[in-house]
Amino acid sequence: MKKLLIAVCISVSGFALAQDYSVPAASPRQKVEQQFSMSKISVDYGRPGVKGRKIFGELVPYGQVWRAGANSSTKITFGQTINFGGKTVPAGTYGLFIIPTEKEWKVILNKDFQQWGGLYL
């Protein structure tokens, strides 16, 4: 009886481990592309899991650089030179950072699109 119970437990655990479970990411990645004129703009963004928390002013303090999105930095790619906030920005991929305040946000494009945090901006 004992051997039968052990064999059943091993069989059940083998079937359970063989299942292909897919758990959704806590902060899933999204990529959006939009055609403008003769070029594209794409944004690769990690959507933060809010989980009932207040984000701006608490989790993300006002007046400090925030690496927009979750996990790795948000990347924005311009297929051609553009005018961004009154400044000419060459075609390429940039990291998107933000300094939020209660009334407005300052948007920063960083040439180092792989930079993890905002400490050195």
Side-chain angles (χ1 to χ4, degrees):
M1 182 69 176
K2 198 175 198 181
K3 288 181 183 181
L4 179 63
L5 184 60
I6 290 172
V8 169
C9 288
I10 290 173
S11 297
V12 169
S13 66
F15 286 121
L17 293 174
Q19 299 298 318
D20 185 21
Y21 291 107
S22 179
V23 178
S27 300
R29 299 289 306 172
Q30 299 290 314
K31 187 168 184 180
V32 177
E33 290 185 347
Q34 181 65 51
Q35 182 77 32
F36 285 97
S37 182
M38 301 297 288
S39 185
K40 284 185 185 177
I41 294 177
S42 66
V43 177
D44 182 357
Y45 175 74
R47 189 176 65 223
V50 176
K51 301 175 189 169
R53 301 173 290 183
K54 182 177 179 195
I55 303 300
F56 298 104
E58 288 186 14
L59 186 64
V60 176
Y62 288 132
Q64 293 184 18
V65 175
W66 175 52
R67 180 191 74 243
N71 302 325
S72 64
S73 67
T74 295
K75 295 167 195 63
I76 186 166
T77 303
F78 304 110
Q80 66 186 38
T81 299
I82 63 152
N83 181 321
F84 190 91
K87 296 185 180 183
T88 300
V89 176
T93 301
Y94 298 86
L96 185 68
F97 293 81
I98 296 170
I99 300 175
T101 67
E102 289 185 63
K103 298 188 182 216
E104 62 185 17
W105 289 11
K106 181 177 185 179
V107 177
I108 302 166
L109 296 179
N110 187 351
K111 291 179 186 176
D112 182 3
F113 64 88
Q114 294 180 331
Q115 182 172 340
W116 180 259
L119 299 175
Y120 303 107
L121 289 176

